[in-house]
């Protein structure tokens, strides 16, 4: 660890060295060195501007020095790009070293049951080599009867060796699993990182490149929702606000502008506006990278560095290092969800000591509890077995035969006691289902791999299984239920309502020209329509979908927007009021040739119409537009459009005088008295596969709710098309304002009882803000109205969906439309943004749960039978009919192989025909209990019959009461063989757990299962015929084999008989494996509320700890940050786990506090219209913590300058 750390510490100076070299070699090539740029990026605000002016005169000068153009960016010349990479570094941070296979083996060896076994095996081995001194005297009695002949004595070591060998097998399998899992996670990580692309300008065209390919000198386009991938300087910006809390801990958004504070830092989030930045530092030279370098990119603190830093920082550092170590251990623990009864408890301890975390996943909680219960039962059984054997032996020897304990006989007696101890340990080994964690791991890993093909990129393993328990899905509308391909289908212009896109001749030329200019100029220049990829395909929409719809409308009117944009490039826009959640509109001011100004505005129709005092009439001249006219327009134009499921958007303009120049800061005054040009209806068609997917969800007992920013009529129309609401149902469709009125008391506080009255019937929440979404999700999760705690899945794509995605049991982010922030907060990424992929996730989740239950049913039958056989056999015949090695073979094969066979069953549609299990439902249902006990009765009857009457049936020698090292008997071999064959056929029975009759249904869809059953049978044949002494077996003849097979096949017939008995007629059956108790849940919840950290998240990256450890050092080592706020130290105490190198903060937008009760519920502009429509694409509205944006956005036309 130390030397690794050192190497990573040298990392930085080396780079600096190359930077130093640059001054000599490359100063001629580039007018700025790596050092200069790094020093520049450590300044802020006025200091930075001063430095730029001193060294480069202005940003233009810096661009020239870096040989790039602010308008056209870099040329796409590979040698130039490569050279920049060499001089200024590349934009990636080297990952942390993975754990080696040997480390994983060592971790697997820490398991308690395995340690007990290893000790027992070593004692057994040692004693087998120990020869009692001299011939035993008569005094030791017949205890030593049949004292070992030479061959026997030599074979004594085999048992111990066989136990050790099987331990090695178990350890290797576990370690291999962990290794492949870690490899998978790394693959997943790199896939997530590769998918992150960014828009840069090269050769004058905007292209998307992978973040890792960005170089110094690139001109990047930044917009709302972006996570900045490199440091840079703003060269043009509109209303840009950045959340820098990841570096400074300041939760207020920082306003950036070219003349006041142009410095942009990697790892910060764009919360509002747009702009262009010149990239000045990448990878390990960016502010994020510098911190990482200090931390040795994830390796332990370097020795050298430790020496440098003493004093007060040491304590914190130490503490944080221990945290990191602990996290590493936690990762290791997480790798085996629960290794054994004791392992489970240890893990819980570790987790508790470590960090408050999200509640354990449902399955984990139930399994831990079950494993602990089974482990305790096994322990009791094995202890009783040992005690009975010892007592029987002592009484028989010293009381009945009246012998005395002689010192020379001690070794002989000890050997007996060790034999009893090994029998006891064997009972324990068979009782503890150590195949359980393996089954869980295999099942989850297999599912995650397959889910990739179903467009689900799982970021946290347990999310996959939690999804199977989901009872509610709160889904976005735009892009998830709809195609997110927007088109204008209706328009109202020049006093006419066109029900389809009008022909240009039908519109007044003056209206048409104004409309084309208004749309072309007043939308983000990153939004454009590209020619289709394939011949005859639909044109490609790039950028904001709502703006693309409007640009497409211009093209449909046989006009073009490109010439207008060429005439007025982005640099010439005089002032831009970008879209945000408070404005819910976007406005742009341009200066006309005569020096006067014109403002173009577009936004949600009912918001913007309130600001219009005129409207363009058919002749092309404005006429008055009174409130009465507006109400009429709402009734006759906007409501009919909304009821067709269309989003309505208004486009308007206004002329302003050249002198006196208007006060641009007085936005309310500027954006008023507008002249309405047109109102358009935009259609976003429902995805064809969605209604079917929603029907499946409803049949599966999952309630689908639509949470959207659109107006109520549009939302209701789309919900009806999707099948979320059906005529005749008792449901609730309300907007955010009404929702808040119902759930808040007079003081404006949210009350759980009030939410409980609303959510069960709520199906559509329209015009909702991010706060509403979070409140709804939290309300459903915390609700106690139903006896089952609801398990909620949420979809989101905007930055503002972060809090709800975090709060939900499973958060789905959109892979295509989602912002980086949303992906960061999610558990699963939908790579195709499609709702029907969520249904696949439900199917896989239920399949994981069922696979574990199948395995449990099978495993517990084996356990019950083996324990009872070993226990009664030992008590009656002083020897277990199944020897330790045979038990381990049964254990290993039945555990490892069965977990593979049953955990890889593919899911079927029938999984969606039943209700969710729910959090409190037991893992082992009464039907399963009936199967377990039923099959156990059959197997025990057969085995005891063979044990006590087998020699008569088969006419062979009895194997009972054999002396200490006697040769294996046919009698006991038949018992062992029958036992294994019954398990094999019972494995086929275990494929069905809900009482289905056809156990062969779909068996050939699972080749793994078939090959494992056949393979196990062949192995068993080899062991019996050729296993000999090590397995205590004797070869059997054909007739004996056929009898064994017949009894095995009897299992299948017996299974049919059990299925016939109705479970309801057996009231005595108990369920097992319940979830955690209420109190445990409450503790977990409290921890959960303090800070939501998913335990599984830590598995993916321990890197975030680096951030915290880095914070202490940054203060002294670099002047990045002027002041760290105290809350950040609270953050250090319990690191929040995030998913990229850019994060070590609690996103400020996630700190939505439900107790904030001064939230204005009604937008001032909105007081008159209670039910009026509002329009938006519910992609994104930034949530800041100031009251302006915590207020209920009454109508975001969010998307208009914005979301990815």
């Amino acid at each position: 660890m130390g030397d690794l750390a050192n190497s990573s510490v040298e990392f930085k100076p080396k780079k600096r060295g190359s930077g130093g070299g640059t001054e000599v070699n490359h100063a001629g090539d580039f007018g700025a060195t790596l050092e200069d740029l790094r020093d520049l990026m450590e300044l802020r605000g006025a200091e930075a501007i001063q430095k730029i002016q001193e060294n480069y005169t202005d940003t233009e000068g810096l661009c020239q020095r870096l040989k790039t153009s602010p308008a056209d960016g870099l040329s796409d010349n590979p040698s130039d790009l490569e050279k920049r990479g060499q001089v200024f570094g590349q934009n990636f941070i080297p990952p942390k070293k993975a754990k080696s296979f040997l480390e994983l083996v060592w971790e697997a060896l820490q398991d308690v049951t395995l340690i007990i076994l290893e000790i027992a095996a070593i004692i057994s081995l040692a004693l087998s080599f120990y020869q009692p001194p001299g011939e035993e005297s008569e005094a030791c009695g017949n205890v030593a009867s049949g004292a070992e002949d030479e061959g026997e004595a030599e074979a004594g070591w085999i048992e111990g060796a066989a136990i050790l060998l099987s331990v090695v097998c178990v350890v290797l399998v576990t370690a291999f699993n962990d290794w492949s899992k870690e490899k998978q996670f790394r693959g997943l990580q790199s896939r997530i990182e590769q998918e992150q692309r960014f828009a840069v300008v090269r050769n004058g065209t905007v292209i998307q490149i992978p973040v890792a390919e960005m170089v110094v000198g690139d001109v990047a386009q930044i917009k709302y929702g972006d996570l900045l991938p490199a440091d840079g300087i703003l060269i043009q910006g509109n209303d840009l606000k950045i959340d820098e809390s990841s570096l400074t801990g300041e939760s207020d958004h920082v306003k950036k502008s070219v003349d006041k504070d142009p410095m942009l830092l990697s790892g910060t989030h764009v919360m509002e506006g747009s702009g262009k930045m010149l990239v000045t530092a990448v990878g390990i030279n960016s502010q994020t990278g510098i911190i990482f370098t200090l931390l040795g990119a994830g390796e332990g603190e370097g020795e050298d560095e430790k020496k440098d830093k003493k004093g007060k920082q040491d304590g914190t550092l130490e503490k944080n290092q221990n945290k990191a170590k602990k996290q590493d251990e936690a990762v290791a623990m997480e790798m085996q969800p629960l290794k054994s009864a004791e392992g489970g408890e240890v893990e819980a301890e570790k987790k508790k000591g470590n960090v408050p975390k999200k509640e354990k996943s449902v399955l984990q909680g139930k399994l831990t509890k079950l494993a602990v219960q089974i482990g305790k039962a096994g322990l009791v059984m094995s202890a009783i077995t040992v005690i009975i054997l010892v007592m029987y032996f002592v009484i028989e020897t010293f009381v009945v035969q009246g012998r005395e304990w002689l010192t020379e006989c001690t070794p002989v007696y000890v050997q007996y006691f060790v034999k009893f101890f090994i029998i006891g340990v064997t009972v324990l080994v068979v009782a503890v289902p150590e195949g359980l964690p393996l089954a869980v791991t295999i099942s989850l890993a297999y599912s995650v791999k397959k889910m990739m093909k179903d467009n689900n990129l799982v970021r946290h393993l347990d999310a996959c299984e939690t999804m199977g328990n989901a009872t509610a899905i709160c889904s976005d509308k735009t892009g998830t239920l709809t195609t997110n391909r927007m088109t204008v289908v209706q328009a109202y212009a020049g006093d006419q309502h066109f029900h389809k896109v009008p022909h240009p001749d039908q519109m007044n030329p003056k209206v048409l020209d104004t409309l084309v200019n208004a749309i072309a100029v007043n939308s983000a220049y990153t939004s454009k329509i590209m020619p289709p990829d394939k011949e005859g395909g639909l044109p490609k929409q790039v950028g904001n979908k709502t703006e693309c719809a409007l640009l497409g409308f211009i093209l449909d009117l046989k006009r073009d927007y490109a010439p207008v944009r060429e005439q007025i490039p982005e640099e010439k826009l005089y002032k831009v009021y970008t879209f945000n959640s408070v404005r819910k509109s976007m406005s742009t001011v341009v200066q006309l040739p005569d020096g006067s100004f014109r403002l173009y505005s577009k936004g949600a129709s009912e918001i913007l119409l309130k600001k219009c005092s005129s409207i363009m009439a058919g002749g092309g001249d404005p006429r008055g537009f009174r409130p009465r006219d507006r109400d009429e327009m709402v009734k006759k134009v906007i409501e009919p459009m909304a009821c067709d499921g269309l989003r309505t958007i208004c486009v308007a303009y206004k002329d302003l005088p050249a002198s006196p120049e208007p006060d641009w800061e007085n936005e309310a005054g500027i954006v008023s008295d507008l002249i309405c040009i047109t109102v358009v209806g935009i259609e976003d068609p429902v995805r064809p596969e969605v209604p079917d997917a929603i029907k499946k969800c409803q049949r599966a007992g999952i309630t689908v709710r639509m949470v959207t920013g659109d107006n109520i009529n549009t939302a209701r129309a789309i919900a009806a098309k999707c099948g979320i609401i059906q005529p005749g149902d008792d449901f609730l469709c309300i907007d955010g304002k009404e929702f808040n009125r119902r759930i808040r008391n007079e003081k404006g506080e949210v009350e759980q009882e009030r939410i409980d009255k609303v959510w069960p019937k709520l199906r559509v929440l329209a015009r909702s803000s991010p706060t509403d979404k979070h409140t709804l999700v939290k309300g459903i999760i915390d609700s106690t109205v139903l006896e089952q705690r609801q398990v909620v899945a949420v979809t989101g794509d905007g930055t503002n969906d972060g809090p709800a995605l975090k709060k939900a049991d499973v958060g789905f982010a959109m892979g295509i439309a989602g912002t980086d922030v949303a992906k960061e907060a999610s558990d699963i990424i939908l790579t195709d943004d499609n709702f029907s992929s969520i249904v696949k996730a439900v199917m896989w989740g239920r399949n994981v749960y069922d696979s574990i239950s199948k395995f449990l049913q099978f495993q517990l039958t084996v356990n019950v039978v083996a324990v009872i056989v070993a226990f009664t056999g030992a008590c009656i015949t002083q020897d277990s009919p199944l020897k330790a090695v045979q038990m381990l073979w049964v254990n290993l094969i039945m555990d490892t192989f069965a977990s593979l066979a049953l955990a890889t069953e593919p899911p079927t549609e029938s999984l969606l025909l039943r209700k969710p299990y729910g959090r409190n439902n037991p893992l082992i249902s009464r039907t399963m209990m009936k199967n377990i006990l039923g099959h156990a009765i059959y197997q025990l009857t057969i085995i005891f019959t063979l044990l006590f009457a087998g020699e008569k049936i088969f006419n062979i020698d009895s194997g009972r009461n054999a002396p200490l090292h006697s040769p294996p008997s046919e009698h006991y071999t038949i018992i062992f063989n029958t036992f294994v064959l019954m398990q094999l056929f019972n494995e086929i029975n275990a494929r069905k757990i809900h009482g289905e009759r056809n156990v062969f249904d779909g068996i050939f869809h699972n080749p793994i299962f078939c090959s494992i059953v056949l393979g196990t049978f062949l192995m068993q044949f080899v062991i019996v015929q050729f296993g000999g002494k090590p397995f205590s077996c004797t070869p059997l003849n054909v007739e004996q084999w056929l009898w064994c097979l017949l009894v095995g096949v009897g299992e299948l017939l017996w299974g049919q008989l059990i299925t016939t008995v109705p479970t309801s007629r057996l009231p005595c059956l108990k369920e097992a494996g319940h979830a955690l108790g209420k109190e445990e849940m409450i503790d977990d919840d409290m921890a959960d509320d303090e800070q939501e950290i998913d335990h599984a998240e830590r598995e993916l990256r321990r890197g975030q700890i680096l951030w915290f450890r880095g914070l202490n050092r940054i203060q002294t080592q670099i002047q990045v940050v002027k002041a760290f706020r105290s809350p950040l130290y609270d953050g250090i105490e319990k690191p929040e786990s995030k998913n990229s190198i850019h994060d070590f903060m609690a996103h400020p937008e996630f700190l939505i506090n439900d107790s904030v009760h001064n939230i204005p519920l009604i937008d001032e502009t909105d007081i008159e219209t209670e039910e009026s429509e509002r329009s938006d694409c519910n992609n994104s509205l930034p949530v800041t913590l100031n009251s302006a944006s915590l207020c209920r956005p009454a109508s975001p036309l969010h998307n208009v300058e914005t979301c990815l």
Side-chain angles (χ1 to χ4, degrees), residues 113-114 117 166 170 425-436 438 855 858-859 862-863 866 883-899 976 979-980 983:
T113 12
L114 291 180
L117 265 182
S166 49
V170 171
V425 171
T426 312
V427 172
L428 176 65
V429 169
V430 176
V432 174
E434 64 279 7
L436 211 49
L438 194 61
F855 175 71
F858 172 71
Q859 170 88 46
V862 182
N863 286 7
K883 301 287 176 285
V885 178
Q886 293 177 351
M887 288 273 215
L888 282 167
W889 156 247
V890 168
N891 208 30
L892 193 74
I893 292 308
M894 297 305 164
D895 265 13
T896 312
F897 282 17
S899 61
F976 167 58
F979 179 68
V980 171
Q983 303 318 328

Side-chain angles (χ1 to χ4, degrees), residues 142-149 152 416 419-420 423 877-880 883 958-969 972 1029 1032:
N142 59 0
V143 248
S145 58
E148 316 108 42
D149 58 48
E152 297 304 337
Y416 268 96
K419 178 183 154 187
F420 299 152
I423 291 174
T877 66
Q878 279 79 68
D879 188 10
S880 169
K883 301 287 176 285
S958 165
R960 291 195 301 282
N961 297 325
L964 197 60
H965 288 292
S966 56
S969 63
Y972 274 22
K1029 184 73 188 147
S1032 313

Side-chain angles (χ1 to χ4, degrees), residues 666-699:
N666 172 19
E667 192 186 327
I670 301 262
V671 186
S672 62
D673 290 332
L674 305 175
I675 302 164
C676 171
I677 309 171
T678 181
V679 171
V680 295
I682 295 183
E683 179 184 50
D684 184 6
V686 172
R687 286 177 182 265
E689 62 277 23
V690 162
D692 192 37
I694 286 181
K695 208 175 271 143
K696 282 180 188 163
C697 282
Q698 289 162 342
R699 212 174 34 218

Side-chain angles (χ1 to χ4, degrees), residues 625-733:
F625 185 65
R626 300 183 301 280
R628 197 172 59 235
D629 301 333
R630 184 172 68 224
D631 295 343
E632 191 176 333
M633 187 153 171
V634 166
K635 277 198 192 65
K636 298 218 172 127
V637 178
I638 293 175
E639 277 185 12
M641 282 186 184
C643 293
D644 291 342
L646 304 183
R647 305 175 47 206
T648 52
I649 287 190
C650 173
V651 183
Y653 80 104
K654 173 187 184 178
D655 285 317
L656 297 152
S659 64
E661 187 170 325
D663 171 14
W664 300 116
E665 295 310 309
N666 172 19
E667 192 186 327
I670 301 262
V671 186
S672 62
D673 290 332
L674 305 175
I675 302 164
C676 171
I677 309 171
T678 181
V679 171
V680 295
I682 295 183
E683 179 184 50
D684 184 6
V686 172
R687 286 177 182 265
E689 62 277 23
V690 162
D692 192 37
I694 286 181
K695 208 175 271 143
K696 282 180 188 163
C697 282
Q698 289 162 342
R699 212 174 34 218
I702 302 169
T703 311
V704 181
R705 296 180 173 83
M706 181 203 285
V707 183
T708 175
D710 249 335
N711 75 47
I712 189 90
N713 292 348
T714 308
R716 192 184 282 126
I718 299 278
K721 282 184 191 168
C722 294
I724 291 177
I725 54 180
Q726 266 114 11
D729 283 1
D730 178 17
F731 57 77
L732 203 56
C733 290

Side-chain angles (χ1 to χ4, degrees), residues 433-593:
E434 64 279 7
L436 211 49
L438 194 61
V440 176
T441 308
I442 291 175
S443 185
L444 286 174
Y446 171 76
S447 302
V448 167
K449 219 176 189 139
K450 292 285 190 207
M451 281 169 81
M452 284 287 232
K453 294 196 179 109
D454 284 339
N455 303 311
N456 282 290
L457 198 150
V458 181
R459 290 184 50 222
H460 303 141
L461 259 193
D462 56 353
C464 157
E465 157 262 315
T466 309
M467 211 40 223
N469 285 307
T471 54
I473 298 175
C474 297
S475 173
D476 268 349
K477 176 180 74 69
T478 308
T480 313
L481 299 173
T482 60
T483 55
N484 203 10
R485 190 188 165 79
M486 309 214 183
T487 42
V488 172
V489 290
Q490 293 189 24
Y492 179 88
D495 293 339
Q496 279 177 284
H497 186 171
F498 301 100
H499 285 279
K500 58 181 202 291
V501 177
H503 191 271
D505 304 341
Q506 293 173 274
M507 288 176 76
N508 180 300
K510 190 174 173 191
V511 176
L512 192 54
D513 284 343
T514 317
L515 176 64
V516 171
N517 282 325
I519 292 175
V521 172
N522 185 30
S523 23
Y525 279 33
T526 47
S527 302
K528 45 185 175 289
I529 307 280
M530 309 283 274
D533 289 341
K534 298 191 196 87
E535 279 289 312
L538 291 166
K540 245 183 20 188
Q541 298 187 339
V542 179
N544 182 296
K545 300 297 189 223
T546 312
E547 295 184 342
C548 288
L550 293 169
L551 295 172
F553 180 49
I554 295 184
L555 300 177
D556 291 343
L557 291 169
K558 311 284 185 283
R559 303 296 282 273
D560 192 1
Y561 60 86
V564 182
R565 287 184 170 183
E566 277 162 23
Q567 196 185 336
I568 309 175
E570 205 167 358
E571 296 75 54
K572 286 203 180 154
L573 300 179
Y574 198 84
K575 172 81 182 162
V576 180
Y577 300 99
T578 53
F579 169 84
N580 70 23
S581 57
V582 183
R583 293 190 184 113
K584 307 168 198 81
S585 63
M586 172 183 176
S587 310
T588 304
V589 180
V590 291
Q591 192 161 19
L592 302 175

Side-chain angles (χ1 to χ4, degrees), residues 735-1014:
D735 62 6
K737 200 188 302 178
E738 172 65 11
F739 175 69
N740 276 292
R741 197 181 61 71
R742 292 191 185 199
I743 63 166
R744 292 177 188 271
N745 59 19
E746 299 71 48
K747 294 183 190 162
E749 294 159 341
V750 177
E751 285 186 1
Q752 187 63 43
E753 304 85 74
R754 290 176 181 241
I755 295 185
D756 288 344
K757 288 181 188 145
V758 175
W759 75 259
K761 286 186 182 176
L762 183 69
R763 291 296 173 275
V764 175
L765 179 57
R767 277 282 171 254
S768 71
S769 71
T771 323
D772 295 341
K773 196 171 188 176
H774 181 263
T775 309
L776 175 66
V777 172
K778 187 174 186 305
I780 297 179
I781 288 178
D782 295 347
S783 172
T784 48
V785 184
L786 308 177
E787 74 230 47
Q788 291 286 5
R789 134 112 154 75
Q790 295 282 299
V791 177
V792 184
V794 168
T795 69
D797 50 12
T799 306
N800 46 358
D801 291 327
L805 289 170
K806 268 294 202 213
K807 181 68 194 164
D809 294 289
V810 182
F812 285 91
M814 302 298 142
I816 304 168
T819 58
D820 300 335
V821 185
K823 290 178 186 173
E824 210 72 357
S826 69
D827 301 297
I828 297 180
I829 295 175
L830 293 179
T831 50
D832 63 346
D833 287 15
N834 193 338
F835 185 83
S836 59
S837 301
I838 299 178
V839 182
K840 298 224 179 82
V842 172
M843 219 155 80
W844 276 106
R846 290 187 173 189
N847 192 52
V848 168
Y849 206 96
D850 275 9
S851 298
I852 305 299
S853 295
K854 288 171 189 175
F855 175 71
L856 265 178
Q857 175 176 310
F858 172 71
Q859 170 88 46
L860 291 180
T861 315
V862 182
N863 286 7
V864 168
V865 176
V867 169
I868 293 177
V869 167
F871 177 69
T872 41
C875 297
I876 297 169
T877 66
Q878 279 79 68
D879 188 10
S880 169
L882 297 173
K883 301 287 176 285
V885 178
Q886 293 177 351
M887 288 273 215
L888 282 167
W889 156 247
V890 168
N891 208 30
L892 193 74
I893 292 308
M894 297 305 164
D895 265 13
T896 312
F897 282 17
S899 61
L900 247 178
L902 292 168
T904 53
E905 288 272 317
T908 57
E909 288 281 329
S910 61
L911 287 168
L912 295 174
L913 298 176
R914 59 172 176 72
K915 301 276 176 274
Y917 283 129
R919 284 189 97 88
N920 316 341
N921 268 32
L923 209 51
I924 299 169
S925 63
R926 291 180 57 191
T927 310
M928 287 167 64
M929 204 51 125
K930 176 184 76 176
N931 291 344
I932 291 170
L933 296 178
H935 288 293
I937 290 167
Y938 173 82
Q939 295 183 11
L940 288 170
T941 314
I942 299 280
I943 286 173
F944 284 134
T945 309
L946 289 174
L947 180 59
F948 296 113
E951 70 273 26
K952 299 191 187 73
I953 301 172
F954 288 103
N955 194 18
I956 46 179
D957 296 333
S958 165
R960 291 195 301 282
N961 297 325
L964 197 60
H965 288 292
S966 56
S969 63
E970 278 187 356
H971 183 190
Y972 274 22
T973 305
I974 289 178
I975 295 178
F976 167 58
N977 199 24
T978 311
F979 179 68
V980 171
L981 290 178
M982 286 195 294
Q983 303 318 328
L984 260 187
F985 285 99
N986 193 29
E987 196 167 339
I988 299 173
N989 278 329
R991 291 184 68 245
K992 302 293 173 202
I993 49 174
H994 297 296
E996 299 92 330
R997 279 211 173 277
N998 182 4
V999 290
F1000 292 101
D1001 178 33
I1003 195 164
F1004 295 115
H1005 292 311
N1006 188 358
I1008 300 180
F1009 184 88
C1010 302
S1011 48
I1012 282 177
V1013 171
L1014 283 171

Side-chain angles (χ1 to χ4, degrees), residues 1057-1118:
L1057 192 69
I1058 295 177
T1059 310
T1060 317
V1061 180
T1063 314
S1064 51
R1065 302 295 290 279
L1066 303 168
C1068 54
L1069 288 179
K1070 284 275 186 290
E1071 302 159 322
H1074 284 269
L1076 301 172
K1078 274 279 186 294
E1079 299 74 32
E1080 304 166 61
M1081 287 284 212
I1082 289 166
D1083 292 352
D1084 267 0
D1085 275 345
M1086 281 165 67
D1088 187 20
D1089 282 346
E1090 280 174 48
Q1091 187 168 24
E1092 296 169 351
I1093 296 177
D1094 187 336
H1095 186 60
E1097 280 184 84
R1098 296 212 301 272
E1099 193 154 18
L1100 282 178
R1101 56 225 62 189
R1102 309 144 212 180
Q1104 42 287 27
I1105 315 307
L1106 313 177
W1107 284 118
F1108 292 101
R1109 286 162 50 207
L1111 289 179
N1112 298 329
R1113 334 204 80 193
I1114 293 165
Q1115 285 178 301
T1116 48
Q1117 292 198 338
I1118 21 172

